[in-house]
mmCIF file of all heavy atoms in Angstrom:
data_model
loop_
_atom_site.group_PDB
_atom_site.id
_atom_site.type_symbol
_atom_site.label_atom_id
_atom_site.label_comp_id
_atom_site.label_asym_id
_atom_site.label_seq_id
_atom_site.Cartn_x
_atom_site.Cartn_y
_atom_site.Cartn_z
ATOM 1 N N VAL A 19 4.114 2.296 -5.361
ATOM 2 C CA VAL A 19 5.085 3.205 -5.970
ATOM 3 C C VAL A 19 6.492 2.609 -5.890
ATOM 4 O O VAL A 19 6.941 2.239 -4.821
ATOM 5 C CB VAL A 19 5.072 4.579 -5.253
ATOM 6 C CG1 VAL A 19 6.089 5.519 -5.913
ATOM 7 C CG2 VAL A 19 3.688 5.185 -5.295
ATOM 8 N N ALA A 20 7.163 2.511 -7.030
ATOM 9 C CA ALA A 20 8.517 1.978 -7.060
ATOM 10 C C ALA A 20 9.457 2.914 -6.285
ATOM 11 O O ALA A 20 9.417 4.112 -6.448
ATOM 12 C CB ALA A 20 9.021 1.860 -8.482
ATOM 13 N N GLY A 21 10.223 2.322 -5.408
ATOM 14 C CA GLY A 21 11.160 3.121 -4.585
ATOM 15 C C GLY A 21 10.447 3.759 -3.388
ATOM 16 O O GLY A 21 11.069 4.498 -2.630
ATOM 17 N N GLY A 22 9.198 3.449 -3.219
ATOM 18 C CA GLY A 22 8.442 4.002 -2.103
ATOM 19 C C GLY A 22 8.561 3.148 -0.870
ATOM 20 O O GLY A 22 9.491 2.387 -0.698
ATOM 21 N N GLY A 23 7.556 3.209 -0.032
ATOM 22 C CA GLY A 23 7.546 2.384 1.182
ATOM 23 C C GLY A 23 8.433 3.033 2.264
ATOM 24 O O GLY A 23 8.900 4.170 2.147
ATOM 25 N N GLU A 24 8.646 2.300 3.353
ATOM 26 C CA GLU A 24 9.355 2.836 4.477
ATOM 27 C C GLU A 24 10.846 3.045 4.069
ATOM 28 O O GLU A 24 11.519 2.134 3.646
ATOM 29 C CB GLU A 24 9.274 1.845 5.637
ATOM 30 C CG GLU A 24 7.851 1.685 6.174
ATOM 31 C CD GLU A 24 7.809 0.674 7.322
ATOM 32 O OE1 GLU A 24 8.883 0.282 7.791
ATOM 33 O OE2 GLU A 24 6.703 0.288 7.670
ATOM 34 N N GLY A 25 11.301 4.275 4.212
ATOM 35 C CA GLY A 25 12.693 4.619 3.883
ATOM 36 C C GLY A 25 12.895 4.893 2.402
ATOM 37 O O GLY A 25 13.979 5.281 2.006
ATOM 38 N N GLY A 26 11.860 4.708 1.577
ATOM 39 C CA GLY A 26 12.027 4.959 0.127
ATOM 40 C C GLY A 26 11.779 6.427 -0.220
ATOM 41 O O GLY A 26 11.362 7.229 0.625
ATOM 42 N N THR A 27 12.059 6.754 -1.442
ATOM 43 C CA THR A 27 11.869 8.136 -1.887
ATOM 44 C C THR A 27 10.432 8.426 -2.252
ATOM 45 O O THR A 27 9.997 9.587 -2.206
ATOM 46 C CB THR A 27 12.719 8.433 -3.136
ATOM 47 O OG1 THR A 27 12.303 7.611 -4.225
ATOM 48 C CG2 THR A 27 14.197 8.136 -2.836
ATOM 49 N N GLY A 28 9.667 7.411 -2.633
ATOM 50 C CA GLY A 28 8.291 7.613 -2.987
ATOM 51 C C GLY A 28 8.096 8.387 -4.271
ATOM 52 O O GLY A 28 7.039 8.962 -4.489
ATOM 53 N N LYS A 29 9.086 8.436 -5.140
ATOM 54 C CA LYS A 29 8.993 9.267 -6.341
ATOM 55 C C LYS A 29 9.089 8.437 -7.648
ATOM 56 O O LYS A 29 9.183 8.975 -8.706
ATOM 57 C CB LYS A 29 10.102 10.316 -6.358
ATOM 58 C CG LYS A 29 9.985 11.327 -5.213
ATOM 59 C CD LYS A 29 11.124 12.359 -5.267
ATOM 60 C CE LYS A 29 10.994 13.357 -4.151
ATOM 61 N NZ LYS A 29 12.105 14.324 -4.180
ATOM 62 N N GLY A 30 9.050 7.067 -7.512
ATOM 63 C CA GLY A 30 9.235 6.241 -8.692
ATOM 64 C C GLY A 30 7.969 6.016 -9.496
ATOM 65 O O GLY A 30 6.917 6.599 -9.223
ATOM 66 N N ASP A 31 8.099 5.159 -10.486
ATOM 67 C CA ASP A 31 6.956 4.770 -11.283
ATOM 68 C C ASP A 31 5.960 3.957 -10.439
ATOM 69 O O ASP A 31 6.319 3.475 -9.356
ATOM 70 C CB ASP A 31 7.404 3.905 -12.454
ATOM 71 C CG ASP A 31 8.282 4.667 -13.487
ATOM 72 O OD1 ASP A 31 8.218 5.908 -13.467
ATOM 73 O OD2 ASP A 31 9.015 4.019 -14.234
ATOM 74 N N TYR A 32 4.769 3.835 -10.990
ATOM 75 C CA TYR A 32 3.802 3.017 -10.287
ATOM 76 C C TYR A 32 4.144 1.526 -10.472
ATOM 77 O O TYR A 32 4.819 1.102 -11.417
ATOM 78 C CB TYR A 32 2.379 3.293 -10.832
ATOM 79 C CG TYR A 32 1.837 4.641 -10.422
ATOM 80 C CD1 TYR A 32 0.919 5.303 -11.229
ATOM 81 C CD2 TYR A 32 2.229 5.231 -9.229
ATOM 82 C CE1 TYR A 32 0.408 6.537 -10.832
ATOM 83 C CE2 TYR A 32 1.712 6.463 -8.829
ATOM 84 C CZ TYR A 32 0.810 7.100 -9.649
ATOM 85 O OH TYR A 32 0.327 8.328 -9.259
ATOM 86 N N VAL A 33 3.627 0.717 -9.551
ATOM 87 C CA VAL A 33 3.908 -0.732 -9.542
ATOM 88 C C VAL A 33 2.565 -1.466 -9.677
ATOM 89 O O VAL A 33 1.662 -1.242 -8.902
ATOM 90 C CB VAL A 33 4.604 -1.175 -8.257
ATOM 91 C CG1 VAL A 33 4.866 -2.672 -8.298
ATOM 92 C CG2 VAL A 33 5.922 -0.384 -8.064
ATOM 93 N N GLU A 34 2.487 -2.355 -10.698
ATOM 94 C CA GLU A 34 1.275 -3.115 -10.898
ATOM 95 C C GLU A 34 1.230 -4.281 -9.897
ATOM 96 O O GLU A 34 2.131 -5.067 -9.808
ATOM 97 C CB GLU A 34 1.235 -3.640 -12.333
ATOM 98 C CG GLU A 34 1.129 -2.505 -13.342
ATOM 99 C CD GLU A 34 1.676 -2.919 -14.694
ATOM 100 O OE1 GLU A 34 2.184 -4.007 -14.852
ATOM 101 O OE2 GLU A 34 1.581 -2.074 -15.639
ATOM 102 N N ASN A 35 0.119 -4.340 -9.167
ATOM 103 C CA ASN A 35 -0.045 -5.395 -8.143
ATOM 104 C C ASN A 35 1.027 -5.320 -7.083
ATOM 105 O O ASN A 35 1.407 -6.369 -6.502
ATOM 106 C CB ASN A 35 -0.088 -6.778 -8.792
ATOM 107 C CG ASN A 35 -1.326 -6.987 -9.642
ATOM 108 O OD1 ASN A 35 -2.260 -6.182 -9.560
ATOM 109 N ND2 ASN A 35 -1.323 -8.008 -10.451
ATOM 110 N N GLY A 36 1.567 -4.163 -6.827
ATOM 111 C CA GLY A 36 2.606 -4.003 -5.814
ATOM 112 C C GLY A 36 2.032 -3.879 -4.410
ATOM 113 O O GLY A 36 2.626 -4.318 -3.463
ATOM 114 N N GLY A 37 0.867 -3.262 -4.340
ATOM 115 C CA GLY A 37 0.177 -3.157 -3.053
ATOM 116 C C GLY A 37 -0.653 -4.370 -2.766
ATOM 117 O O GLY A 37 -0.955 -5.148 -3.653
ATOM 118 N N SER A 38 -1.024 -4.594 -1.518
ATOM 119 C CA SER A 38 -1.869 -5.733 -1.191
ATOM 120 C C SER A 38 -2.825 -5.395 -0.047
ATOM 121 O O SER A 38 -2.534 -4.587 0.829
ATOM 122 C CB SER A 38 -0.983 -6.945 -0.817
ATOM 123 O OG SER A 38 -0.300 -6.671 0.389
ATOM 124 N N ILE A 39 -3.956 -6.023 -0.132
ATOM 125 C CA ILE A 39 -4.981 -5.977 0.944
ATOM 126 C C ILE A 39 -5.466 -7.407 1.172
ATOM 127 O O ILE A 39 -5.190 -8.267 0.338
ATOM 128 C CB ILE A 39 -6.148 -5.042 0.589
ATOM 129 C CG1 ILE A 39 -6.766 -5.467 -0.785
ATOM 130 C CG2 ILE A 39 -5.739 -3.582 0.571
ATOM 131 C CD1 ILE A 39 -7.982 -4.633 -1.192
ATOM 132 N N TYR A 40 -6.132 -7.657 2.249
ATOM 133 C CA TYR A 40 -6.689 -8.968 2.459
ATOM 134 C C TYR A 40 -8.104 -8.840 3.014
ATOM 135 O O TYR A 40 -8.469 -7.823 3.637
ATOM 136 C CB TYR A 40 -5.827 -9.797 3.378
ATOM 137 C CG TYR A 40 -5.736 -9.344 4.805
ATOM 138 C CD1 TYR A 40 -6.623 -9.832 5.798
ATOM 139 C CD2 TYR A 40 -4.770 -8.413 5.202
ATOM 140 C CE1 TYR A 40 -6.540 -9.384 7.127
ATOM 141 C CE2 TYR A 40 -4.685 -7.988 6.510
ATOM 142 C CZ TYR A 40 -5.572 -8.475 7.462
ATOM 143 O OH TYR A 40 -5.507 -8.025 8.759
ATOM 144 N N PHE A 41 -8.934 -9.878 2.746
ATOM 145 C CA PHE A 41 -10.321 -9.784 3.185
ATOM 146 C C PHE A 41 -10.468 -10.349 4.589
ATOM 147 O O PHE A 41 -9.896 -11.419 4.898
ATOM 148 C CB PHE A 41 -11.192 -10.587 2.208
ATOM 149 C CG PHE A 41 -12.653 -10.257 2.366
ATOM 150 C CD1 PHE A 41 -13.171 -9.027 1.907
ATOM 151 C CD2 PHE A 41 -13.532 -11.142 2.968
ATOM 152 C CE1 PHE A 41 -14.482 -8.728 2.042
ATOM 153 C CE2 PHE A 41 -14.884 -10.806 3.097
ATOM 154 C CZ PHE A 41 -15.362 -9.617 2.623
ATOM 155 N N ASP A 42 -11.190 -9.645 5.454
ATOM 156 C CA ASP A 42 -11.325 -10.034 6.830
ATOM 157 C C ASP A 42 -12.570 -9.415 7.456
ATOM 158 O O ASP A 42 -12.718 -8.193 7.515
ATOM 159 C CB ASP A 42 -10.084 -9.646 7.649
ATOM 160 C CG ASP A 42 -10.207 -9.925 9.132
ATOM 161 O OD1 ASP A 42 -10.422 -11.069 9.499
ATOM 162 O OD2 ASP A 42 -10.152 -8.944 9.881
ATOM 163 N N ASN A 43 -13.513 -10.251 7.911
ATOM 164 C CA ASN A 43 -14.658 -9.775 8.668
ATOM 165 C C ASN A 43 -15.451 -8.685 7.950
ATOM 166 O O ASN A 43 -15.681 -7.607 8.475
ATOM 167 C CB ASN A 43 -14.180 -9.266 10.062
ATOM 168 C CG ASN A 43 -15.360 -9.101 11.010
ATOM 169 O OD1 ASN A 43 -16.374 -9.788 10.907
ATOM 170 N ND2 ASN A 43 -15.195 -8.217 11.969
ATOM 171 N N ASN A 44 -15.830 -8.948 6.725
ATOM 172 C CA ASN A 44 -16.663 -8.086 5.909
ATOM 173 C C ASN A 44 -15.991 -6.749 5.534
ATOM 174 O O ASN A 44 -16.718 -5.760 5.334
ATOM 175 C CB ASN A 44 -18.017 -7.829 6.615
ATOM 176 C CG ASN A 44 -18.810 -9.091 6.773
ATOM 177 O OD1 ASN A 44 -18.866 -9.929 5.878
ATOM 178 N ND2 ASN A 44 -19.439 -9.287 7.942
ATOM 179 N N CYS A 45 -14.728 -6.734 5.479
ATOM 180 C CA CYS A 45 -14.018 -5.546 4.977
ATOM 181 C C CYS A 45 -12.653 -5.995 4.466
ATOM 182 O O CYS A 45 -12.206 -7.128 4.718
ATOM 183 C CB CYS A 45 -13.855 -4.503 6.072
ATOM 184 S SG CYS A 45 -12.659 -4.940 7.348
ATOM 185 N N PHE A 46 -12.011 -5.099 3.760
ATOM 186 C CA PHE A 46 -10.593 -5.342 3.375
ATOM 187 C C PHE A 46 -9.716 -4.697 4.404
ATOM 188 O O PHE A 46 -10.092 -3.676 5.009
ATOM 189 C CB PHE A 46 -10.302 -4.798 1.990
ATOM 190 C CG PHE A 46 -10.801 -5.605 0.859
ATOM 191 C CD1 PHE A 46 -11.879 -5.166 0.081
ATOM 192 C CD2 PHE A 46 -10.250 -6.836 0.552
ATOM 193 C CE1 PHE A 46 -12.365 -5.944 -0.940
ATOM 194 C CE2 PHE A 46 -10.714 -7.615 -0.488
ATOM 195 C CZ PHE A 46 -11.782 -7.165 -1.244
ATOM 196 N N ARG A 47 -8.542 -5.258 4.602
ATOM 197 C CA ARG A 47 -7.583 -4.657 5.543
ATOM 198 C C ARG A 47 -6.216 -4.492 4.893
ATOM 199 O O ARG A 47 -5.830 -5.275 4.015
ATOM 200 C CB ARG A 47 -7.444 -5.495 6.825
ATOM 201 C CG ARG A 47 -8.705 -5.535 7.628
ATOM 202 C CD ARG A 47 -8.481 -6.188 9.025
ATOM 203 N NE ARG A 47 -9.717 -6.325 9.747
ATOM 204 C CZ ARG A 47 -10.269 -5.403 10.507
ATOM 205 N NH1 ARG A 47 -9.651 -4.205 10.634
ATOM 206 N NH2 ARG A 47 -11.391 -5.608 11.144
ATOM 207 N N THR A 48 -5.519 -3.466 5.335
ATOM 208 C CA THR A 48 -4.136 -3.232 4.923
ATOM 209 C C THR A 48 -3.283 -3.070 6.173
ATOM 210 O O THR A 48 -3.714 -2.510 7.165
ATOM 211 C CB THR A 48 -4.038 -1.948 4.063
ATOM 212 O OG1 THR A 48 -2.661 -1.707 3.776
ATOM 213 C CG2 THR A 48 -4.607 -0.727 4.764
ATOM 214 N N THR A 49 -2.099 -3.632 6.074
ATOM 215 C CA THR A 49 -1.193 -3.579 7.277
ATOM 216 C C THR A 49 -0.059 -2.582 7.082
ATOM 217 O O THR A 49 0.724 -2.418 7.981
ATOM 218 C CB THR A 49 -0.575 -4.976 7.540
ATOM 219 O OG1 THR A 49 0.139 -5.373 6.365
ATOM 220 C CG2 THR A 49 -1.676 -5.995 7.812
ATOM 221 N N LYS A 50 0.017 -1.923 5.904
ATOM 222 C CA LYS A 50 1.187 -1.113 5.593
ATOM 223 C C LYS A 50 0.935 0.376 5.495
ATOM 224 O O LYS A 50 1.882 1.145 5.345
ATOM 225 C CB LYS A 50 1.812 -1.628 4.272
ATOM 226 C CG LYS A 50 2.296 -3.052 4.366
ATOM 227 C CD LYS A 50 2.942 -3.505 3.070
ATOM 228 C CE LYS A 50 3.411 -4.925 3.166
ATOM 229 N NZ LYS A 50 4.053 -5.380 1.882
ATOM 230 N N GLY A 51 -0.325 0.819 5.506
ATOM 231 C CA GLY A 51 -0.558 2.255 5.456
ATOM 232 C C GLY A 51 -0.413 2.837 4.057
ATOM 233 O O GLY A 51 -0.458 2.147 3.047
ATOM 234 N N PHE A 52 -0.197 4.177 4.019
ATOM 235 C CA PHE A 52 -0.128 4.898 2.750
ATOM 236 C C PHE A 52 1.346 5.103 2.280
ATOM 237 O O PHE A 52 2.273 5.109 3.086
ATOM 238 C CB PHE A 52 -0.748 6.295 2.873
ATOM 239 C CG PHE A 52 -2.205 6.276 3.201
ATOM 240 C CD1 PHE A 52 -2.685 6.828 4.382
ATOM 241 C CD2 PHE A 52 -3.116 5.755 2.313
ATOM 242 C CE1 PHE A 52 -4.038 6.836 4.649
ATOM 243 C CE2 PHE A 52 -4.492 5.729 2.565
ATOM 244 C CZ PHE A 52 -4.934 6.287 3.772
ATOM 245 N N GLU A 53 1.489 5.283 0.985
ATOM 246 C CA GLU A 53 2.760 5.697 0.422
ATOM 247 C C GLU A 53 2.971 7.163 0.761
ATOM 248 O O GLU A 53 2.057 7.979 0.653
ATOM 249 C CB GLU A 53 2.769 5.556 -1.113
ATOM 250 C CG GLU A 53 2.886 4.146 -1.638
ATOM 251 C CD GLU A 53 4.351 3.618 -1.523
ATOM 252 O OE1 GLU A 53 5.172 4.289 -0.929
ATOM 253 O OE2 GLU A 53 4.573 2.512 -2.108
ATOM 254 N N THR A 54 4.175 7.517 1.215
ATOM 255 C CA THR A 54 4.476 8.880 1.576
ATOM 256 C C THR A 54 5.823 9.348 0.966
ATOM 257 O O THR A 54 6.668 8.522 0.637
ATOM 258 C CB THR A 54 4.547 9.090 3.091
ATOM 259 O OG1 THR A 54 5.584 8.235 3.642
ATOM 260 C CG2 THR A 54 3.216 8.715 3.744
ATOM 261 N N ASP A 55 5.965 10.629 0.883
ATOM 262 C CA ASP A 55 7.221 11.241 0.450
ATOM 263 C C ASP A 55 7.444 12.462 1.332
ATOM 264 O O ASP A 55 6.636 13.381 1.317
ATOM 265 C CB ASP A 55 7.167 11.615 -1.004
ATOM 266 C CG ASP A 55 8.487 12.270 -1.486
ATOM 267 O OD1 ASP A 55 9.519 12.001 -0.849
ATOM 268 O OD2 ASP A 55 8.450 13.009 -2.470
ATOM 269 N N SER A 56 8.498 12.458 2.111
ATOM 270 C CA SER A 56 8.776 13.535 3.084
ATOM 271 C C SER A 56 7.590 13.787 4.003
ATOM 272 O O SER A 56 7.257 14.912 4.365
ATOM 273 C CB SER A 56 9.102 14.828 2.313
ATOM 274 O OG SER A 56 10.224 14.660 1.496
ATOM 275 N N GLY A 57 6.956 12.670 4.410
ATOM 276 C CA GLY A 57 5.862 12.765 5.366
ATOM 277 C C GLY A 57 4.506 13.069 4.756
ATOM 278 O O GLY A 57 3.506 13.075 5.466
#
């Protein structure tokens, strides 16, 4: 989400290929959690 992330408003347009995951030990992993707005 554009403008999202830590400290962002989380109300922007969607972002193509903005998020990322990586492959590790037979699963995908993410280090950044979910997009949030006001918690």
Side-chain angles (χ1 to χ4, degrees):
V19 180
E24 297 179 11
T27 63
K29 295 180 180 179
D31 294 340
Y32 288 152
V33 180
E34 296 155 355
N35 292 348
S38 66
I39 53 178
Y40 67 92
F41 196 73
D42 174 59
N43 195 26
N44 297 320
C45 71
F46 283 109
R47 293 190 186 274
T48 176
T49 60
K50 298 181 179 180
F52 296 118
E53 284 282 9
T54 61
D55 181 23
S56 301

